[in-house]
């Protein structure tokens, strides 16, 4: 069994971060989102992985390499433009051959991994197996309808009026039957080959299409709010660990990870928090659900519920929260501008002015 990991796409919802970085490499708890998926694939006993890459191919290849650090053998499959998930299957057909495979969207995050799902698929080998989860607003997802026995009867991509609240999670398992299906469909109104249409084709020709409704945690980390929420979830699972230096004028409370080479000076850290290697935090407060990457400088500031990427500095800016700060960023106070008040006041007025 092989895996097909999709790591192309423009990441428009994470701009401006993704103007200069692949969305799959934005870190959660100081580890790229993509790496969690690759680790889940390896844990499921799959070693042959095709990674579909686009404009950010060089960055993905530099980060992932040949896959050996994950226990994987990586083959990169270039995609000129992101023309849909089914298009990714189409261009990967030579690599996949007749093998069964799991397709994993590289910017998705699933707590607990995919081992149970892969084992179930290997046991029963339906033509396709999809992962579903209930969402409050299904209009932004592919949506599945099930019959009373739980079989998939219909799929619809981003429907205006969803027939259910069951959204497709970014993990799919297929036999080689999917190849005929992706050749049989036409581009959607978006100009893309939709994987929902390909799976619907399998349903229409009476192929065996099954579903699993997951109860655990899943997120598509396509926007800042979801990135921060996934970061919070992962940090809550971490154990406290101090490998760096914390001086005697500093305080760490709860699940705080200070990586080797990091220094905490005259500061208060309230976990869950991770501080990356080589980072200096001085005269500052770092609040819960914050990840600070390697080689950052946080001085005379407060940061909470945020992600700060590597080689960035925050100096004397008061409080920052619910933020995603990119790489090599400098955040400083704005220059002081003298202010004046222009008043026209009647007789016997009383005015209070904040200075």
């Amino acid at each position: 069994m092989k895996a097909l990991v999709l790591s192309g796409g423009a990441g428009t919802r994470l701009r401006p971060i993704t103007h200069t970085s692949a969305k799959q490499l934005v870190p959660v708890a100081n580890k790229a989102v993509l790496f969690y998926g690759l680790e889940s694939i390896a844990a499921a006993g799959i070693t042959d992985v095709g990674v579909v890459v686009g404009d950010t191919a060089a960055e993905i290849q530099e980060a992932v390499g040949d896959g050996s650090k994950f226990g994987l053998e990586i083959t990169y499959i270039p995609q000129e433009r992101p023309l849909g998930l089914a298009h990714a299957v189409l261009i990967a057909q030579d690599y996949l051959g007749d093998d069964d495979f799991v397709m994993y969207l590289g910017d998705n995050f699933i707590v607990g991994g995919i081992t149970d799902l892969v084992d179930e698929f290997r046991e029963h080998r339906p033509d396709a197996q999809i992962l579903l989860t209930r969402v409050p607003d299904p209009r932004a997802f592919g949506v599945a309808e099930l019959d009373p026995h739980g079989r998939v009867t219909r799929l619809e991509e981003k429907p205006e009026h969803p027939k259910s609240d069951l959204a497709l999670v970014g993990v799919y398992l297929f036999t080689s039957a999917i190849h005929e299906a992706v050749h049989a469909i036409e581009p959607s109104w978006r100009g893309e080959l939709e994987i929902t249409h390909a799976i619907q084709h399998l349903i229409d020709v009476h192929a065996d299409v099954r579903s699993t409704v997951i109860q655990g945690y899943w997120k598509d980390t396509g926007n800042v709010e979801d990135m921060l929420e996934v970061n919070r979830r992962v940090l809550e699972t971490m154990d406290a660990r101090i490998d760096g230096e914390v001086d005697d004028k500093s305080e760490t409370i709860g699940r705080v990870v200070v990586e080797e080479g990091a220094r905490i000076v005259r500061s208060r850290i309230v976990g869950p928090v991770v501080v990356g290697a080589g980072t200096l935090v001085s005269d500052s407060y770092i609040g819960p659900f914050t990840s600070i990457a390697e080689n950052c400088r946080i001085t005379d500031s407060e940061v909470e519920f945020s992600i700060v990427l590597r080689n960035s500095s925050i100096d004397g800016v008061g409080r920052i929260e619910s933020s995603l700060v990119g790489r090599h960023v400098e955040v400083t106070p704005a220059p002081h501008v003298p202010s004046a008040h222009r008043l026209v006041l009647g007789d016997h007025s009383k005015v209070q002015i904040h200075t």
Side-chain angles (χ1 to χ4, degrees), residues 10 59 72 93 100 108 116 127 205 212 228 236 249 261 287 321:
E59 188 180 12
L72 303 173
Q93 184 171 355
D100 298 348
N108 275 225
D116 291 345
D127 295 300
V205 299
T212 300
L228 293 173
E236 285 181 329
K249 295 183 179 178
E321 61 182 29

Side-chain angles (χ1 to χ4, degrees), residues 291-331:
S291 296
I292 302 173
E294 65 271 20
N295 300 318
C296 293
R297 296 292 180 269
I298 313 295
T299 307
D300 191 26
S301 300
E302 298 183 1
V303 184
E304 185 169 300
F305 193 53
S306 295
I307 299 172
V308 181
L309 276 58
R310 67 176 185 266
N311 299 304
S312 291
S313 64
I314 299 173
D315 184 4
V317 294
R319 187 173 182 85
I320 291 176
E321 61 182 29
S322 304
S323 299
L324 175 56
V325 178
R327 300 173 297 179
H328 300 278
V329 169
E330 296 182 7
V331 184

Side-chain angles (χ1 to χ4, degrees), residues 3 15 26 71 106 122 132 143 153 183 275 291 296 307 355:
R15 288 177 179 168
V26 176
R122 281 173 165 151
L132 304 173
V143 175
T153 59
H183 282 281
V275 179
S291 296
C296 293
I307 299 172
T355 60

Side-chain angles (χ1 to χ4, degrees), residues 13 108 133-144 155-160 162 165-170 172 196 218-220 226:
R13 292 178 294 160
N108 275 225
T133 190
R134 298 190 184 278
V135 297
D137 185 2
R139 291 175 297 175
F141 303 93
V143 175
L155 297 175
E156 192 173 3
E157 185 66 28
K158 297 181 173 61
E160 183 69 24
D165 62 352
L166 291 170
L168 275 77
V169 173
Y172 311 78
T196 48
W218 163 80
K219 274 288 184 184
D220 168 6
D226 287 341

Side-chain angles (χ1 to χ4, degrees), residues 242-309:
I242 307 296
D243 294 334
E245 300 178 21
V246 179
D247 74 359
D248 57 8
K249 295 183 179 178
S250 297
E251 181 182 23
T252 63
I253 300 172
R255 295 187 186 93
V256 175
V257 174
V258 180
E259 299 286 0
E260 186 175 355
R263 294 169 54 214
I264 311 298
V265 179
R266 297 182 302 276
S267 296
R268 188 167 187 259
I269 316 292
V270 179
V273 165
V274 58
V275 179
T279 286
L280 171 64
V281 177
S282 62
D283 302 296
S284 295
Y285 165 78
I286 309 297
F289 313 121
T290 301
S291 296
I292 302 173
E294 65 271 20
N295 300 318
C296 293
R297 296 292 180 269
I298 313 295
T299 307
D300 191 26
S301 300
E302 298 183 1
V303 184
E304 185 169 300
F305 193 53
S306 295
I307 299 172
V308 181
L309 276 58

Side-chain angles (χ1 to χ4, degrees), residues 78-90:
Q79 185 182 34
E80 291 186 5
R81 287 189 297 151
L83 296 175
L85 304 187
H87 181 260
V89 176
L90 189 68

